[in-house]
Amino acid sequence: MPRPGRNTYSDQKPPYSYISLTAMAIQSCPEKMLPLSEIYKFIMDRFPYYRENTQRWQNSLRHNLSFNDCFIKIPRRPDQPGKGSFWALHPSCGDMFENGSFLRRRKRFKVMTSEHLAPSKPSEAAHYLQQHAKLRLSALGTHLPQMSGYNLGVTQPSTFKHPFAIENIIAREYKVPGGLAFSTGYPLHNQLTTAWPHMYSTGMMDTSAPISMSTGDYSAYGVPIKSLCHGGQTLPAIPVPIKPTPATLPHHLPAFLTNSPQSLSPTSPQTATSQSSPATPSETLTGPATLQSVAVH
DNA sequence: TTATGTTTAACCCGCG
DNA sequence: CGCGGGTTAAACATAA
């Protein structure tokens, strides 16, 4: 309904897996975590296809949430009652989706449980996120909100992320195909569009409105991108270490906590290089990808 | 009761 | 063909 006009692709199934869709939803939120219902909403808002057969796909989605280690459950705090928990992306699974490989993951993200370098067990990650959220909010003098609080979010523009980070992709949706978004300088733009046709082309939102995203659409699920700019907050967009430290990264968690304002450091240089090379966005994942995620199962 | 979560299992598909 | 990722169904458990 948010797209009365030409809902051309309305009935076709988006090429994204539930994992991707879920990740998108989560990433779109400043807090980087959403309750199940909001994830549903996000998907339904953007992809008309999912406005039907809700029973079916939502069941599948829930299955994915539980089944995949890349999603972690963050329990609600007593002061933020509501149903269900919040879901977030495992801090170290950022690479899983990076490089534009959203259409299909290369490997199932598996947490290196037990023994050695169990750098990031879901529990820890969850705890971290929790703490993080708590800190930020408290810093803002706010209580952990249900949904409304999310707009306190940050995701400031400065936290530049890899052009293929879900975040960016999502962001572009609101930034209009025109490409004035920050990805302007990326030669990848093109590939992006092909990779995410559903998001760009014939956007469901009025592409007519430039930086828009404005109003309606977003407020729907409380992810007002605009709010990112203000808020006098310093913390970076949050967890999901969209990648850097290819190999080792046992200590990434603490890293966030220290909230180095610009986690951008890791990604930016990288992006620069990767983009310079003809590298195909989707593949070219190459080497390091295997870090701590194992393919077992 | 319903929304959430968790599990198990069967299938489909693309890739090596 | 086998493997692994993704999808769908369905049974169950649990919390609000």
Side-chain angles (χ1 to χ4, degrees):
Chain A
M1 63 150 298
R3 196 30 313 187
R6 40 178 328 190
N7 31 344
T8 53
Y9 57 99
S10 49
D11 58 336
Q12 51 183 29
K13 182 171 185 171
Y16 318 117
S17 66
Y18 288 121
I19 293 178
S20 295
L21 292 170
T22 305
M24 273 183 236
I26 293 173
Q27 289 282 284
S28 77
C29 165
E31 288 296 336
K32 301 308 175 213
M33 57 166 140
L34 286 175
L36 185 62
S37 59
E38 291 304 314
I39 293 175
Y40 289 159
K41 202 177 301 178
F42 176 96
I43 294 173
M44 290 170 92
D45 276 356
R46 309 229 145 23
F47 308 99
Y49 173 85
Y50 290 109
R51 285 176 212 169
E52 299 179 342
N53 303 307
T54 54
Q55 278 302 142
R56 195 200 305 173
W57 69 264
Q58 293 185 345
N59 178 26
S60 298
L61 189 72
R62 288 195 301 277
H63 163 262
N64 275 282
L65 244 21
S66 299
F67 185 73
N68 295 292
D69 289 338
C70 57
F71 297 115
I72 55 180
K73 201 169 55 171
I74 287 116
R76 283 170 187 275
R77 313 193 69 68
D79 50 304
Q80 52 176 313
K83 239 184 169 191
S85 314
F86 286 95
W87 289 93
L89 278 173
H90 189 290
S92 46
C93 76
D95 60 292
M96 177 177 73
F97 297 107
E98 276 250 63
N99 297 27
S101 299
F102 292 90
L103 304 187
R104 183 169 254 253
R105 290 181 303 166
R106 313 179 125 288
K107 274 182 189 253
R108 191 186 297 267
F109 175 81
K110 207 56 166 88
V111 179
M112 201 72 119
T113 59
S114 62
E115 51 157 12
H116 64 312
L117 61 94
S120 34
K121 291 156 58 170
S123 53
E124 290 175 19
H127 181 260
Y128 157 68
L129 284 170
Q130 236 172 224
Q131 291 299 94
H132 188 82
K134 183 165 52 172
L135 288 176
R136 314 168 68 206
L137 289 168
S138 61
L140 292 169
T142 321
H143 62 291
L144 257 204
Q146 167 68 5
M147 230 32 260
S148 52
Y150 286 143
N151 50 19
L152 295 174
V154 235
T155 319
Q156 10 57 333
S158 50
T159 306
F160 185 81
K161 292 219 167 87
H162 187 112
F164 282 112
I166 290 176
E167 242 178 23
N168 288 350
I169 283 152
I170 291 172
R172 282 184 62 63
E173 179 183 358
Y174 310 103
K175 309 264 172 159
V176 163
L180 20 88
F182 45 171
S183 44
T184 326
Y186 290 85
L188 311 152
H189 176 286
N190 179 4
Q191 289 111 312
L192 267 179
T193 31
T194 54
W196 300 77
H198 296 70
M199 296 294 249
Y200 298 44
S201 55
T202 80
M204 43 191 55
M205 44 180 316
D206 290 277
T207 50
S208 49
I211 276 247
S212 75
M213 87 259 220
S214 55
T215 63
D217 286 338
Y218 239 175
S219 49
Y221 38 84
V223 187
I225 291 231
K226 14 162 105 170
S227 66
L228 338 165
C229 308
H230 65 7
Q233 240 267 80
T234 49
L235 290 168
I238 281 221
V240 198
I242 297 286
K243 140 81 46 35
T245 44
T248 65
L249 57 153
H251 46 310
H252 55 280
L253 272 178
F256 297 116
L257 282 173
T258 55
N259 90 77
S260 51
Q262 271 17 1
S263 43
L264 57 132
S265 41
T267 53
S268 31
Q270 227 251 49
T271 45
T273 44
S274 65
Q275 66 170 44
S276 55
S277 62
T280 51
S282 45
E283 285 307 350
T284 329
L285 211 181
T286 70
T290 39
L291 39 160
Q292 82 295 41
S293 36
V294 199
V296 195
H297 178 70

